[in-house]
Amino acid sequence: MKEVLPKFNSTFSIDCVLFGFDEGELKILLIERNEEPFKDWWALPGNIVGEDESLDQSASRILHELTGLGDVYMEQYYTFGDVNRHPQGRVVSIAYYALLRLGGDKALKPLSNYAKQAHWINVNNLPKLAFDHQQIFDKGLEKIKRRIKHQPIAFELLPEKFTLTQLQNVYEIILSKKLDKRNFRKKMLSFGVLKDLEEKQKGVSFRAATLYKFDKRKYAKLFGKEISF
């Protein structure tokens, strides 16, 4: 007779860390929880992995249900498995992250009663977060701080057409330091992956700056995956 093995009782969850850049601010997507534990607290969009879902499928479903956002490409970046991170038992969380162009308010509408609302919140003004979500957020921020030095992730946060000032602003906010304007522009232009559109900003009260576009094909041809920005 075949031995009946005991079932494991650990649970897996997904937490989504979505960064957005809008009006000179780096923002994170949070939900207001509508269920215990931590009811009425702000938290990262997250929930339990479905029994018949892959991790990627769960991540997409959870993000859609709690924020209304769909078709967002996310990548795994860390696993959080401290024994007491959830009051109801052992929950291991796989964290995903993404960077989005916001371009103003992006429609957010939770489709599940699990979340009261979803909002983009400035990373410098975060409320106290549920569970260990502050730690998950901090780890995600560390991730993009490292990546922005070697990969062109800054362009994922900017509109398709941008100024060098806007580009520098993204780097300064993510890296939390001021960069020399002249050196930054000289270095960025020297890579040869920014296309001068011969267009100027419109509808601004100050002197209109030149608009540029990131040339993905040229970047891939010249540098492949990494370059020291």
Side-chain angles (χ1 to χ4, degrees):
M1 185 175 178
K2 190 175 182 180
E3 181 183 359
V4 177
L5 298 175
K7 290 187 176 181
F8 298 118
N9 56 11
S10 294
T11 300
F12 293 91
S13 69
I14 299 291
D15 286 305
C16 305
V17 181
L18 268 67
F19 292 98
F21 189 77
D22 188 30
E23 297 181 355
E25 296 180 348
L26 182 65
K27 297 183 178 182
I28 190 76
L29 182 57
L30 297 179
I31 62 166
E32 185 180 10
R33 288 173 57 85
N34 197 34
E35 291 186 8
E36 297 291 356
F38 294 100
K39 184 178 181 181
D40 302 326
W41 283 57
W42 288 97
L44 298 168
N47 211 334
I48 302 300
V49 174
E51 290 186 5
D52 300 320
E53 294 177 315
S54 70
L55 296 178
D56 288 353
Q57 288 171 338
S58 283
S60 296
R61 173 186 58 80
I62 289 167
L63 181 65
H64 184 59
E65 288 180 353
L66 300 184
T67 69
L69 295 180
D71 298 322
V72 176
Y73 174 73
M74 296 183 287
E75 293 183 16
Q76 293 181 27
Y77 72 90
Y78 205 80
T79 300
F80 297 84
D82 288 353
V83 176
N84 298 316
R85 59 182 304 274
H86 197 292
Q88 290 178 268
R90 184 71 186 273
V91 178
V92 177
S93 184
I94 298 90
Y96 281 73
Y97 84 104
L99 299 104
L100 300 181
R101 292 186 179 116
L102 297 187
D105 292 334
K106 206 173 186 73
L108 298 173
K109 186 178 180 181
L111 307 177
S112 167
N113 290 330
Y114 188 83
K116 288 184 180 180
Q117 57 180 324
H119 278 296
W120 290 99
I121 297 178
N122 189 316
V123 297
N124 294 318
N125 298 313
L126 292 185
K128 191 171 182 180
L129 301 180
F131 304 105
D132 57 352
H133 287 192
Q134 182 66 50
Q135 180 185 354
I136 296 174
F137 162 77
D138 290 341
K139 207 74 175 177
L141 187 58
E142 286 178 18
K143 176 74 174 180
I144 66 171
K145 281 178 182 286
R146 291 194 302 269
R147 281 197 65 193
I148 200 171
K149 296 177 182 179
H150 305 288
Q151 296 180 355
I153 64 171
F155 303 103
E156 298 175 33
L157 295 167
L158 289 167
E160 187 177 2
K161 299 177 182 181
F162 55 85
T163 67
L164 291 177
T165 297
Q166 290 173 321
L167 179 60
Q168 182 173 340
N169 197 12
V170 171
Y171 275 85
E172 289 180 338
I173 289 175
I174 292 180
L175 297 174
S176 300
K177 67 178 182 180
K178 195 72 177 174
L179 302 173
D180 180 80
K181 182 177 180 179
R182 183 178 178 181
N183 289 340
F184 177 84
R185 295 185 174 211
K186 183 179 179 180
K187 185 174 184 178
M188 284 295 169
L189 293 173
S190 70
F191 294 136
V193 295
L194 298 184
K195 183 178 180 181
D196 186 338
L197 299 177
E198 298 183 354
E199 296 180 34
K200 298 285 187 179
Q201 286 175 298
K202 296 179 181 178
V204 294
S205 57
F206 46 86
R207 183 180 177 183
T210 299
L211 292 172
Y212 292 84
K213 182 178 181 180
F214 176 58
D215 193 330
K216 292 183 180 179
R217 291 185 179 180
K218 196 169 184 181
Y219 169 81
K221 184 177 180 180
L222 293 175
F223 303 104
K225 290 186 177 181
E226 293 200 356
I227 179 176
S228 294
F229 283 98

